[in-house]
Amino acid sequence: MALQIILHVNRVKNLDWKVKLGSNWCSVTNDFVSRMLQEEPKLLKLFKWTNCSDELLFQTIAFNCGFMNRMYHNPNGADNLRFIDWVRSKNGSPHTFTIADK
């Protein structure tokens, strides 16, 4: 990525999509996955050498492929409806819940 910055590489200048950013912790529908698979060549070209592409992929597809109106949006900014336990995290990954956590 640093080399791309030094060489002024801009892989999105001619892109017909807008790149969006958001959480990678989400649930998707079968329709959404089908669309992702249809767009696979474009997605691979766009995100193959991208840093943090998992935080760009879902939002970019949703925005550019007609899924934005089906996404949950909280005006207060709490869009992520996942409970993630970072307190008991290990090695930068969230805690994996087990039946003992019930």
Side-chain angles (χ1 to χ4, degrees):
M1 186 167 147
L3 187 57
Q4 291 181 29
I5 293 169
I6 293 168
L7 297 174
H8 303 285
V9 174
N10 184 346
R11 292 181 294 121
V12 297
K13 67 181 174 188
N14 296 320
L15 187 65
D16 59 344
W17 277 9
K18 289 188 179 185
V19 177
K20 295 296 183 176
L21 172 70
S23 176
N24 63 346
W25 298 87
C26 62
S27 298
V28 296
T29 63
N30 187 54
D31 292 347
F32 189 87
V33 173
S34 294
R35 186 57 187 263
M36 283 179 65
L37 293 173
Q38 289 173 6
E39 299 292 346
E40 183 180 12
K42 185 178 215 170
L43 296 170
L44 286 174
K45 184 178 179 183
L46 178 60
F47 293 117
K48 184 174 183 178
W49 304 107
T50 303
N51 189 26
C52 298
S53 61
D54 60 331
E55 296 176 353
L56 304 170
L57 177 68
F58 298 112
Q59 290 72 23
T60 299
I61 295 167
F63 183 84
N64 292 284
C65 296
F67 288 90
M68 284 301 291
N69 63 338
R70 295 169 59 183
M71 294 179 66
Y72 173 77
H73 176 69
N74 183 333
N76 296 325
D79 290 346
N80 196 332
L81 297 178
R82 299 282 182 261
F83 177 71
I84 302 168
D85 184 350
W86 291 103
V87 174
R88 296 182 284 175
S89 68
K90 293 181 183 174
N91 301 323
S93 296
H95 172 69
T96 300
F97 290 96
T98 66
I99 195 68
D101 294 305
K102 183 179 179 191

XYZ file of all heavy atoms in Angstrom:
840
model
N 0.820 -1.190 0.000
C 0.000 0.000 0.000
C 0.868 1.260 0.000
O 0.547 2.219 -0.676
C -0.940 -0.003 1.194
C -1.901 1.140 1.168
S -3.199 0.875 2.353
C -3.499 2.529 2.828
N 1.943 1.245 0.755
C 2.833 2.408 0.797
C 3.403 2.694 -0.582
O 3.510 3.852 -0.985
C 3.942 2.182 1.813
N 3.738 1.643 -1.304
C 4.268 1.811 -2.661
C 3.225 2.452 -3.578
O 3.558 3.304 -4.407
C 4.737 0.475 -3.222
C 5.471 0.513 -4.554
C 6.701 1.415 -4.475
C 5.869 -0.879 -4.982
N 1.974 2.064 -3.417
C 0.905 2.662 -4.225
C 0.781 4.160 -3.930
O 0.565 4.958 -4.842
C -0.430 1.974 -3.948
C -0.491 0.561 -4.459
C -1.835 -0.083 -4.188
O -2.854 0.583 -4.120
N -1.832 -1.397 -4.040
N 0.944 4.537 -2.682
C 0.885 5.961 -2.318
C 2.065 6.712 -2.927
O 1.897 7.779 -3.512
C 0.848 6.120 -0.780
C -0.468 5.558 -0.234
C 1.023 7.581 -0.381
C -0.507 5.417 1.268
N 3.260 6.138 -2.800
C 4.466 6.775 -3.355
C 4.354 6.957 -4.864
O 4.712 7.995 -5.403
C 5.726 5.946 -2.995
C 5.966 6.008 -1.487
C 6.940 6.434 -3.765
C 6.988 5.010 -0.980
N 3.814 5.931 -5.538
C 3.693 5.977 -7.001
C 2.402 6.643 -7.486
O 2.137 6.685 -8.676
C 3.790 4.560 -7.570
C 5.113 3.832 -7.329
C 5.033 2.400 -7.817
C 6.263 4.577 -7.998
N 1.606 7.153 -6.558
C 0.344 7.832 -6.874
C -0.619 6.932 -7.650
O -1.268 7.365 -8.609
C 0.585 9.137 -7.633
C 1.465 10.090 -6.907
N 1.029 10.810 -5.825
C 2.781 10.413 -7.076
C 2.021 11.554 -5.364
N 3.099 11.331 -6.103
N -0.707 5.679 -7.235
C -1.637 4.740 -7.856
C -3.033 5.031 -7.313
O -3.246 5.068 -6.108
C -1.234 3.277 -7.562
C -2.279 2.315 -8.080
C 0.134 2.976 -8.151
N -3.980 5.245 -8.209
C -5.369 5.501 -7.825
C -6.247 4.482 -8.555
O -6.628 4.687 -9.703
C -5.782 6.925 -8.173
C -7.179 7.248 -7.690
O -7.949 6.367 -7.319
N -7.508 8.517 -7.689
N -6.544 3.383 -7.871
C -7.296 2.306 -8.506
C -8.791 2.581 -8.597
O -9.523 1.816 -9.197
C -7.062 0.993 -7.749
C -5.629 0.521 -7.902
C -5.350 -0.776 -7.187
N -5.460 -0.630 -5.755
C -6.318 -1.327 -4.998
N -7.105 -2.209 -5.517
N -6.353 -1.137 -3.697
N -9.280 3.677 -8.033
C -10.716 3.952 -8.079
C -11.064 5.169 -8.935
O -12.240 5.507 -9.066
C -11.300 4.139 -6.654
C -11.158 2.874 -5.850
C -10.665 5.308 -5.939
N -10.085 5.799 -9.549
C -10.366 7.024 -10.307
C -11.328 6.795 -11.470
O -12.105 7.667 -11.799
C -9.089 7.703 -10.781
C -8.316 6.935 -11.822
C -7.062 7.677 -12.218
C -6.235 6.809 -13.145
N -4.940 7.398 -13.411
N -11.283 5.640 -12.099
C -12.179 5.352 -13.225
C -13.276 4.361 -12.859
O -13.931 3.809 -13.743
C -11.374 4.815 -14.411
C -10.406 5.849 -14.944
O -10.731 7.025 -15.024
N -9.211 5.418 -15.281
N -13.481 4.142 -11.600
C -14.463 3.180 -11.128
C -15.867 3.765 -11.240
O -16.092 4.925 -10.896
C -14.160 2.819 -9.669
C -14.961 1.712 -9.042
C -14.674 0.381 -9.730
C -14.622 1.608 -7.558
N -16.815 2.963 -11.710
C -18.193 3.438 -11.821
C -18.988 3.188 -10.532
O -20.186 3.392 -10.494
C -18.891 2.796 -13.028
C -18.919 1.281 -12.965
O -18.157 0.693 -12.169
O -19.690 0.673 -13.716
N -18.345 2.755 -9.490
C -18.955 2.552 -8.172
C -18.354 3.530 -7.182
O -17.220 3.969 -7.331
C -18.640 1.161 -7.661
C -19.513 0.067 -8.156
C -20.454 0.132 -9.145
C -19.506 -1.279 -7.698
N -21.025 -1.088 -9.318
C -20.466 -1.978 -8.443
C -18.793 -1.971 -6.751
C -20.735 -3.319 -8.253
C -19.047 -3.302 -6.553
C -20.015 -3.974 -7.294
N -19.108 3.841 -6.132
C -18.571 4.589 -5.000
C -18.143 3.576 -3.946
O -18.889 2.654 -3.639
C -19.614 5.536 -4.424
C -19.920 6.705 -5.321
C -20.788 7.701 -4.625
C -21.034 8.864 -5.570
N -21.779 9.934 -4.945
N -16.960 3.747 -3.411
C -16.467 2.862 -2.360
C -16.981 3.391 -1.024
O -16.868 4.576 -0.722
C -14.924 2.798 -2.367
C -14.407 1.947 -1.225
C -14.426 2.263 -3.708
N -17.566 2.498 -0.232
C -18.139 2.859 1.063
C -17.439 2.092 2.176
O -16.840 1.044 1.942
C -19.641 2.563 1.083
C -20.432 3.408 0.106
C -20.341 4.855 0.500
C -21.170 5.749 -0.383
N -21.151 7.127 0.066
N -17.554 2.588 3.393
C -16.880 2.020 4.554
C -17.884 1.721 5.656
O -18.852 2.457 5.830
C -15.843 3.029 5.070
C -15.143 2.723 6.381
C -14.197 1.547 6.206
C -14.380 3.943 6.861
N -17.666 0.648 6.396
C -18.516 0.325 7.529
C -18.076 -0.964 8.191
O -17.018 -1.517 7.883
N -18.894 -1.443 9.084
C -18.563 -2.644 9.844
C -18.589 -3.891 8.966
O -19.392 -4.009 8.048
C -19.569 -2.821 10.979
O -19.326 -4.027 11.676
N -17.716 -4.826 9.275
C -17.744 -6.109 8.580
C -18.553 -7.133 9.361
O -18.692 -8.262 8.938
C -16.320 -6.620 8.321
C -15.564 -6.885 9.609
O -15.976 -6.467 10.679
N -14.442 -7.545 9.509
N -19.081 -6.750 10.509
C -19.898 -7.630 11.344
C -21.348 -7.444 10.904
O -22.019 -6.510 11.334
C -19.732 -7.280 12.816
C -18.336 -7.456 13.288
C -17.330 -6.531 13.216
C -17.768 -8.621 13.866
N -16.178 -7.056 13.726
C -16.417 -8.341 14.140
C -18.268 -9.876 14.183
C -15.574 -9.275 14.716
C -17.420 -10.795 14.766
C -16.093 -10.496 15.029
N -21.818 -8.314 10.041
C -23.162 -8.135 9.514
C -23.768 -9.467 9.104
O -23.078 -10.469 8.987
C -23.143 -7.180 8.321
S -22.168 -7.768 6.925
N -25.053 -9.446 8.907
C -25.776 -10.587 8.347
C -26.224 -10.181 6.952
O -26.598 -9.031 6.733
C -27.010 -10.920 9.190
O -26.637 -11.282 10.491
N -26.174 -11.118 6.028
C -26.562 -10.815 4.655
C -27.605 -11.822 4.182
O -27.690 -12.929 4.700
C -25.348 -10.807 3.698
C -24.380 -9.697 4.058
C -24.633 -12.142 3.702
N -28.376 -11.425 3.202
C -29.414 -12.290 2.649
C -28.856 -13.096 1.480
O -27.780 -12.790 0.943
C -30.603 -11.460 2.145
O -30.135 -10.621 1.074
C -31.207 -10.610 3.248
N -29.617 -14.085 1.078
C -29.236 -14.886 -0.086
C -29.150 -14.010 -1.335
O -28.255 -14.183 -2.165
C -30.243 -16.025 -0.287
C -29.803 -16.973 -1.374
O -28.707 -17.497 -1.337
N -30.676 -17.184 -2.349
N -30.080 -13.058 -1.477
C -30.046 -12.135 -2.622
C -28.738 -11.343 -2.653
O -28.157 -11.123 -3.719
C -31.210 -11.144 -2.561
C -32.552 -11.789 -2.773
O -32.596 -12.953 -3.218
O -33.564 -11.133 -2.486
N -28.301 -10.911 -1.490
C -27.072 -10.134 -1.392
C -25.868 -10.981 -1.802
O -25.017 -10.539 -2.571
C -26.909 -9.612 0.038
C -25.798 -8.620 0.200
C -26.025 -7.271 -0.026
C -24.539 -9.016 0.587
C -25.013 -6.342 0.129
C -23.514 -8.110 0.749
C -23.750 -6.774 0.517
N -25.797 -12.212 -1.304
C -24.689 -13.111 -1.655
C -24.703 -13.417 -3.147
O -23.650 -13.423 -3.802
C -24.738 -14.408 -0.820
C -23.697 -15.403 -1.302
C -24.545 -14.103 0.650
N -25.886 -13.643 -3.709
C -25.988 -13.892 -5.152
C -25.431 -12.721 -5.942
O -24.701 -12.903 -6.929
C -27.435 -14.151 -5.549
O -27.894 -15.336 -4.972
N -25.748 -11.514 -5.509
C -25.240 -10.322 -6.197
C -23.729 -10.206 -6.058
O -23.025 -9.837 -7.001
C -25.939 -9.068 -5.682
C -25.564 -7.819 -6.442
C -25.869 -7.986 -7.951
N -25.397 -6.898 -8.723
C -26.131 -5.852 -9.114
N -27.405 -5.797 -8.791
N -25.605 -4.888 -9.810
N -23.222 -10.531 -4.869
C -21.773 -10.525 -4.669
C -21.090 -11.475 -5.646
O -20.061 -11.135 -6.233
C -21.419 -10.946 -3.241
C -21.620 -9.887 -2.200
S -21.205 -10.465 -0.539
C -19.469 -10.759 -0.680
N -21.663 -12.645 -5.812
C -21.077 -13.629 -6.724
C -21.145 -13.165 -8.175
O -20.222 -13.401 -8.955
C -21.768 -14.983 -6.552
C -21.522 -15.653 -5.201
C -22.387 -16.901 -5.062
C -20.049 -15.962 -4.985
N -22.222 -12.469 -8.540
C -22.330 -11.915 -9.888
C -21.244 -10.864 -10.139
O -20.739 -10.734 -11.250
C -23.694 -11.260 -10.100
C -24.844 -12.217 -10.189
C -26.183 -11.466 -10.224
O -26.238 -10.248 -10.282
N -27.266 -12.224 -10.172
N -20.923 -10.128 -9.102
C -19.951 -9.031 -9.221
C -18.524 -9.468 -8.869
O -17.634 -8.632 -8.760
C -20.362 -7.877 -8.295
C -21.717 -7.283 -8.598
C -21.767 -6.541 -9.921
O -20.699 -6.246 -10.511
O -22.879 -6.230 -10.383
N -18.295 -10.760 -8.736
C -16.989 -11.256 -8.284
C -15.800 -10.721 -9.073
O -14.819 -10.255 -8.469
C -16.968 -12.783 -8.267
C -15.659 -13.337 -7.745
C -15.634 -14.853 -7.722
O -16.521 -15.502 -8.317
O -14.711 -15.387 -7.114
N -15.817 -10.725 -10.405
C -14.644 -10.204 -11.129
C -14.337 -8.746 -10.776
O -13.174 -8.378 -10.573
C -15.026 -10.342 -12.600
C -16.074 -11.409 -12.624
C -16.822 -11.268 -11.329
N -15.364 -7.937 -10.689
C -15.177 -6.526 -10.354
C -14.660 -6.375 -8.925
O -13.762 -5.579 -8.641
C -16.502 -5.779 -10.516
C -16.406 -4.298 -10.322
C -17.778 -3.681 -10.562
C -17.644 -2.343 -11.207
N -18.906 -1.797 -11.670
N -15.227 -7.162 -8.010
C -14.820 -7.091 -6.611
C -13.375 -7.530 -6.422
O -12.622 -6.906 -5.660
C -15.752 -7.940 -5.745
C -17.204 -7.470 -5.700
C -18.079 -8.503 -5.021
C -17.307 -6.115 -5.025
N -12.983 -8.587 -7.105
C -11.596 -9.045 -7.008
C -10.633 -7.982 -7.521
O -9.600 -7.714 -6.909
C -11.410 -10.353 -7.777
C -11.997 -11.598 -7.124
C -11.880 -12.795 -8.067
C -11.320 -11.897 -5.801
N -10.969 -7.382 -8.638
C -10.107 -6.341 -9.199
C -10.010 -5.143 -8.255
O -8.936 -4.585 -8.052
C -10.653 -5.896 -10.558
C -9.779 -4.885 -11.251
C -10.326 -4.519 -12.611
C -9.438 -3.475 -13.271
N -9.957 -3.039 -14.540
N -11.126 -4.769 -7.668
C -11.168 -3.595 -6.802
C -10.495 -3.828 -5.457
O -9.747 -2.992 -4.970
C -12.624 -3.164 -6.584
C -12.864 -1.980 -5.660
C -12.162 -0.734 -6.198
C -14.355 -1.733 -5.520
N -10.735 -4.976 -4.836
C -10.307 -5.182 -3.458
C -9.102 -6.096 -3.271
O -8.644 -6.290 -2.150
C -11.474 -5.722 -2.630
C -12.590 -4.729 -2.461
C -13.840 -4.998 -2.983
C -12.380 -3.536 -1.800
C -14.866 -4.080 -2.829
C -13.397 -2.617 -1.641
C -14.651 -2.885 -2.157
N -8.557 -6.648 -4.335
C -7.456 -7.620 -4.208
C -6.276 -7.059 -3.427
O -5.705 -7.737 -2.587
C -7.003 -8.082 -5.586
C -5.946 -9.154 -5.516
C -5.620 -9.697 -6.882
C -4.608 -10.827 -6.772
N -4.317 -11.400 -8.073
N -5.885 -5.850 -3.665
C -4.718 -5.269 -3.004
C -5.123 -4.172 -2.020
O -4.370 -3.235 -1.780
C -3.750 -4.706 -4.043
C -3.333 -5.728 -5.043
C -3.725 -5.800 -6.349
C -2.475 -6.844 -4.823
N -3.165 -6.885 -6.963
C -2.385 -7.562 -6.038
C -1.782 -7.331 -3.721
C -1.619 -8.706 -6.184
C -1.025 -8.476 -3.873
C -0.949 -9.141 -5.076
N -6.294 -4.289 -1.432
C -6.832 -3.249 -0.557
C -6.601 -3.588 0.907
O -6.812 -4.715 1.331
C -8.343 -3.087 -0.804
O -8.542 -2.799 -2.178
C -8.931 -1.973 0.029
N -6.193 -2.610 1.678
C -6.046 -2.756 3.114
C -7.429 -2.654 3.764
O -8.207 -1.770 3.420
C -5.120 -1.649 3.644
C -4.742 -1.856 5.082
O -4.723 -2.980 5.581
N -4.437 -0.774 5.757
N -7.747 -3.557 4.667
C -9.038 -3.580 5.384
C -10.215 -3.732 4.425
O -11.265 -3.123 4.622
C -9.218 -2.342 6.244
S -7.976 -2.186 7.530
N -10.053 -4.521 3.388
C -11.123 -4.659 2.395
C -12.403 -5.235 2.979
O -13.488 -4.987 2.455
C -10.651 -5.511 1.218
O -10.308 -6.812 1.647
N -12.309 -5.989 4.088
C -13.528 -6.530 4.689
C -14.425 -5.427 5.223
O -15.628 -5.604 5.334
C -13.189 -7.534 5.798
C -12.375 -6.934 6.925
O -11.615 -5.979 6.674
O -12.489 -7.436 8.056
N -13.867 -4.256 5.537
C -14.661 -3.134 6.020
C -15.171 -2.243 4.881
O -15.851 -1.252 5.121
C -13.850 -2.332 7.032
C -13.540 -3.158 8.273
C -12.662 -2.455 9.275
O -12.170 -1.359 8.967
O -12.467 -3.016 10.368
N -14.857 -2.608 3.668
C -15.310 -1.873 2.487
C -16.263 -2.693 1.627
O -17.165 -2.147 0.991
C -14.110 -1.460 1.624
C -13.016 -0.637 2.279
C -11.813 -0.520 1.361
C -13.533 0.732 2.663
N -16.064 -3.987 1.602
C -16.755 -4.884 0.675
C -18.279 -4.815 0.787
O -18.969 -4.503 -0.180
C -16.268 -6.315 0.897
C -16.937 -7.393 0.052
C -16.556 -7.225 -1.408
C -16.531 -8.769 0.552
N -18.823 -5.118 1.948
C -20.278 -5.215 2.101
C -20.976 -3.876 1.856
O -22.003 -3.814 1.193
C -20.648 -5.747 3.491
C -20.131 -7.122 3.756
C -19.149 -7.349 4.699
C -20.615 -8.209 3.037
C -18.662 -8.619 4.937
C -20.137 -9.491 3.258
C -19.150 -9.694 4.213
N -20.411 -2.810 2.390
C -21.039 -1.502 2.229
C -20.975 -1.019 0.786
O -21.915 -0.406 0.286
C -20.372 -0.479 3.157
C -20.664 -0.702 4.610
C -19.959 -1.922 5.180
O -18.962 -2.374 4.665
N -20.498 -2.452 6.253
N -19.874 -1.299 0.097
C -19.743 -0.898 -1.304
C -20.770 -1.613 -2.169
O -21.425 -0.995 -3.011
C -18.311 -1.179 -1.813
O -17.390 -0.406 -1.028
C -18.169 -0.822 -3.275
N -20.945 -2.902 -1.944
C -21.941 -3.654 -2.707
C -23.341 -3.154 -2.391
O -24.147 -2.920 -3.294
C -21.822 -5.163 -2.421
C -20.487 -5.688 -2.924
C -22.978 -5.921 -3.058
C -20.156 -7.060 -2.424
N -23.642 -2.992 -1.114
C -24.980 -2.537 -0.721
C -25.303 -1.187 -1.347
O -26.399 -0.983 -1.878
C -25.082 -2.455 0.799
N -24.358 -0.267 -1.304
C -24.593 1.077 -1.831
C -24.786 1.071 -3.345
O -25.659 1.756 -3.869
C -23.426 1.998 -1.461
C -23.632 3.414 -1.898
C -24.358 4.289 -1.105
C -23.113 3.872 -3.097
C -24.559 5.601 -1.508
C -23.310 5.180 -3.510
C -24.047 6.047 -2.707
N -23.983 0.301 -4.048
C -23.970 0.351 -5.510
C -24.903 -0.643 -6.190
O -25.108 -0.547 -7.401
C -22.544 0.129 -6.011
C -21.642 1.274 -5.644
O -21.683 2.329 -6.250
N -20.830 1.081 -4.620
N -25.453 -1.573 -5.448
C -26.271 -2.626 -6.067
C -27.710 -2.647 -5.567
O -28.398 -3.664 -5.690
C -25.611 -3.985 -5.845
S -24.005 -4.139 -6.649
N -28.173 -1.561 -4.986
C -29.584 -1.444 -4.628
C -30.004 -2.082 -3.320
O -31.191 -2.368 -3.131
N -29.072 -2.293 -2.396
C -29.422 -2.904 -1.120
C -29.462 -1.912 0.044
O -29.782 -2.290 1.166
C -28.440 -4.032 -0.777
C -28.615 -5.249 -1.638
C -27.926 -5.382 -2.822
C -29.486 -6.259 -1.261
C -28.078 -6.500 -3.620
C -29.653 -7.381 -2.052
C -28.956 -7.506 -3.236
N -29.145 -0.668 -0.201
C -29.081 0.308 0.900
C -30.421 0.466 1.610
O -30.462 0.627 2.827
C -28.612 1.674 0.388
C -27.132 1.734 0.122
S -26.104 1.391 1.560
C -26.424 2.827 2.565
N -31.514 0.394 0.882
C -32.830 0.578 1.506
C -33.223 -0.622 2.364
O -34.212 -0.561 3.093
C -33.895 0.853 0.444
C -34.073 -0.310 -0.507
O -33.181 -1.147 -0.658
N -35.210 -0.361 -1.164
N -32.450 -1.701 2.309
C -32.740 -2.895 3.105
C -31.804 -3.023 4.302
O -31.867 -3.986 5.046
C -32.633 -4.139 2.225
C -33.711 -4.134 1.129
C -33.509 -5.177 0.077
N -33.483 -6.530 0.620
C -33.266 -7.607 -0.124
N -33.065 -7.482 -1.419
N -33.237 -8.797 0.421
N -30.924 -2.049 4.478
C -29.974 -2.080 5.587
C -30.509 -1.298 6.771
O -31.179 -0.279 6.606
C -28.630 -1.488 5.156
C -27.929 -2.311 4.111
S -26.378 -1.584 3.591
C -25.409 -1.710 5.077
N -30.200 -1.773 7.968
C -30.582 -1.065 9.192
C -29.677 0.140 9.366
O -28.460 0.042 9.219
C -30.449 -1.995 10.398
C -30.656 -1.278 11.710
C -31.941 -0.956 12.131
C -29.585 -0.901 12.492
C -32.140 -0.283 13.318
C -29.770 -0.226 13.681
C -31.047 0.076 14.091
O -31.249 0.748 15.263
N -30.267 1.272 9.669
C -29.473 2.474 9.949
C -30.056 3.181 11.158
O -31.227 3.557 11.166
C -29.452 3.423 8.749
C -28.733 4.695 9.045
N -27.366 4.750 9.239
C -29.181 5.949 9.213
C -27.027 5.990 9.511
N -28.112 6.735 9.495
N -29.238 3.357 12.167
C -29.619 4.082 13.372
C -29.066 5.494 13.274
O -27.859 5.668 13.138
C -29.046 3.361 14.596
C -29.460 4.001 15.905
O -29.730 5.191 15.969
N -29.496 3.190 16.939
N -29.916 6.509 13.334
C -29.427 7.888 13.204
C -28.440 8.288 14.299
O -27.691 9.235 14.142
C -30.692 8.742 13.251
C -31.784 7.841 13.668
C -31.351 6.433 13.481
N -28.422 7.551 15.411
C -27.482 7.852 16.495
C -26.123 7.192 16.273
O -25.237 7.311 17.102
C -28.061 7.403 17.840
C -29.309 8.164 18.177
O -29.428 9.344 17.865
N -30.262 7.499 18.791
N -25.981 6.450 15.190
C -24.701 5.861 14.839
C -24.482 4.439 15.319
O -23.460 3.851 15.048
N -25.420 3.863 16.043
C -25.261 2.493 16.550
C -25.872 1.505 15.554
O -26.845 0.829 15.843
C -25.902 2.361 17.922
N -25.286 1.438 14.375
C -25.831 0.572 13.325
C -25.522 -0.902 13.539
O -26.209 -1.762 13.022
C -25.267 0.978 11.960
C -25.795 2.310 11.493
O -26.777 2.799 12.058
O -25.218 2.864 10.545
N -24.467 -1.196 14.263
C -24.048 -2.575 14.440
C -24.864 -3.222 15.552
O -24.741 -2.861 16.712
C -22.554 -2.624 14.779
C -21.976 -3.996 14.592
O -22.669 -4.987 14.704
N -20.699 -4.049 14.314
N -25.699 -4.177 15.210
C -26.566 -4.826 16.185
C -25.965 -6.123 16.722
O -26.681 -7.010 17.151
C -27.934 -5.107 15.554
C -28.704 -3.868 15.128
C -30.020 -4.255 14.467
C -28.974 -2.970 16.320
N -24.670 -6.236 16.719
C -23.978 -7.399 17.242
C -23.503 -7.115 18.663
O -23.067 -6.011 18.969
C -22.748 -7.734 16.392
C -23.059 -8.067 14.970
C -23.587 -9.500 14.898
N -23.863 -9.887 13.553
C -25.080 -9.871 13.019
N -26.098 -9.471 13.718
N -25.268 -10.261 11.788
N -23.582 -8.119 19.526
C -22.947 -8.013 20.835
C -21.591 -8.678 20.709
O -21.497 -9.880 20.475
C -23.777 -8.687 21.929
C -23.095 -8.641 23.263
C -22.984 -7.439 23.946
C -22.517 -9.771 23.797
C -22.327 -7.373 25.156
C -21.851 -9.721 25.017
C -21.753 -8.514 25.705
N -20.555 -7.908 20.830
C -19.197 -8.406 20.672
C -18.452 -8.165 21.977
O -18.409 -7.041 22.476
C -18.478 -7.703 19.497
C -19.279 -7.925 18.214
C -17.054 -8.196 19.352
C -18.850 -7.076 17.054
N -17.907 -9.213 22.539
C -17.196 -9.140 23.814
C -15.705 -8.977 23.555
O -14.993 -9.938 23.287
C -17.477 -10.406 24.627
C -16.860 -10.362 26.016
O -16.052 -9.448 26.293
O -17.178 -11.255 26.819
N -15.255 -7.733 23.634
C -13.832 -7.456 23.440
C -13.075 -7.553 24.755
O -11.846 -7.617 24.757
C -13.638 -6.075 22.827
C -14.122 -6.000 21.414
C -15.272 -5.433 20.970
C -13.477 -6.535 20.255
N -15.393 -5.580 19.605
C -14.308 -6.253 19.144
C -12.292 -7.234 20.044
C -13.976 -6.630 17.855
C -11.956 -7.617 18.752
C -12.801 -7.310 17.679
N -13.784 -7.577 25.901
C -13.126 -7.642 27.204
C -12.377 -8.964 27.356
O -11.250 -9.006 27.836
C -14.156 -7.455 28.338
C -13.529 -7.667 29.709
C -14.797 -6.078 28.246
N -12.996 -10.055 26.957
C -12.370 -11.376 27.053
C -11.677 -11.772 25.745
O -11.447 -12.943 25.489
C -13.420 -12.425 27.425
C -14.019 -12.194 28.800
C -15.009 -13.273 29.151
N -16.260 -13.047 28.429
C -17.291 -13.878 28.458
N -17.236 -14.992 29.147
N -18.390 -13.594 27.790
N -11.346 -10.815 24.942
C -10.734 -11.114 23.641
C -9.324 -11.662 23.801
O -8.660 -11.431 24.809
C -10.703 -9.861 22.775
O -9.813 -8.912 23.318
N -8.901 -12.406 22.798
C -7.543 -12.951 22.767
C -6.940 -12.677 21.395
O -7.580 -12.896 20.374
C -7.566 -14.452 23.026
C -8.007 -14.819 24.427
C -7.988 -16.313 24.648
C -8.516 -16.609 26.040
N -8.660 -18.034 26.269
N -5.734 -12.178 21.403
C -4.992 -11.939 20.156
C -5.737 -11.035 19.183
O -5.670 -11.234 17.975
C -4.644 -13.271 19.474
C -3.807 -14.167 20.362
O -2.955 -13.679 21.082
N -4.067 -15.451 20.326
N -6.491 -10.066 19.693
C -7.190 -9.126 18.833
C -8.493 -9.634 18.253
O -9.134 -8.951 17.474
N -8.898 -10.841 18.624
C -10.161 -11.407 18.147
C -11.177 -11.376 19.284
O -10.818 -11.550 20.450
C -9.965 -12.861 17.703
O -9.096 -12.914 16.607
N -12.445 -11.182 18.966
C -13.447 -11.137 20.033
C -13.637 -12.510 20.681
O -13.273 -13.535 20.116
C -14.713 -10.704 19.306
C -14.495 -11.091 17.897
C -13.029 -10.982 17.648
N -14.177 -12.484 21.882
C -14.476 -13.723 22.615
C -15.454 -14.576 21.816
O -16.425 -14.063 21.249
C -15.087 -13.368 23.975
C -15.606 -14.538 24.742
N -14.788 -15.495 25.289
C -16.879 -14.915 25.032
C -15.526 -16.398 25.901
N -16.791 -16.074 25.751
N -15.207 -15.864 21.765
C -16.132 -16.811 21.127
C -17.069 -17.327 22.205
O -16.629 -17.956 23.173
C -15.366 -17.980 20.485
O -14.486 -17.455 19.502
C -16.338 -18.956 19.836
N -18.341 -17.037 22.042
C -19.329 -17.456 23.030
C -19.579 -18.952 22.944
O -19.607 -19.528 21.856
C -20.645 -16.703 22.817
C -20.542 -15.238 23.173
C -20.280 -14.293 22.192
C -20.704 -14.830 24.479
C -20.178 -12.955 22.529
C -20.602 -13.502 24.824
C -20.337 -12.557 23.835
N -19.773 -19.549 24.111
C -20.103 -20.967 24.210
C -21.364 -21.114 25.051
O -21.876 -20.125 25.601
C -18.969 -21.778 24.853
O -18.831 -21.358 26.230
C -17.646 -21.568 24.106
N -21.823 -22.325 25.224
C -23.018 -22.574 26.035
C -22.790 -22.128 27.476
O -23.719 -21.747 28.179
C -23.465 -24.055 25.951
C -24.881 -24.221 26.486
C -22.479 -24.949 26.643
C -25.934 -23.572 25.638
N -21.538 -22.116 27.934
C -21.219 -21.667 29.296
C -21.544 -20.190 29.496
O -21.769 -19.756 30.630
C -19.745 -21.941 29.593
N -21.590 -19.416 28.426
C -21.919 -17.979 28.522
C -23.409 -17.717 28.667
O -23.806 -16.611 28.985
C -21.398 -17.235 27.282
C -19.895 -17.236 27.228
O -19.282 -16.793 28.215
O -19.349 -17.677 26.204
N -24.217 -18.757 28.458
C -25.671 -18.581 28.543
C -26.045 -18.180 29.908
O -26.544 -17.654 30.581
C -26.386 -19.868 28.148
C -27.876 -19.743 28.141
C -28.515 -21.029 27.718
C -30.028 -20.862 27.761
N -30.729 -22.080 27.630
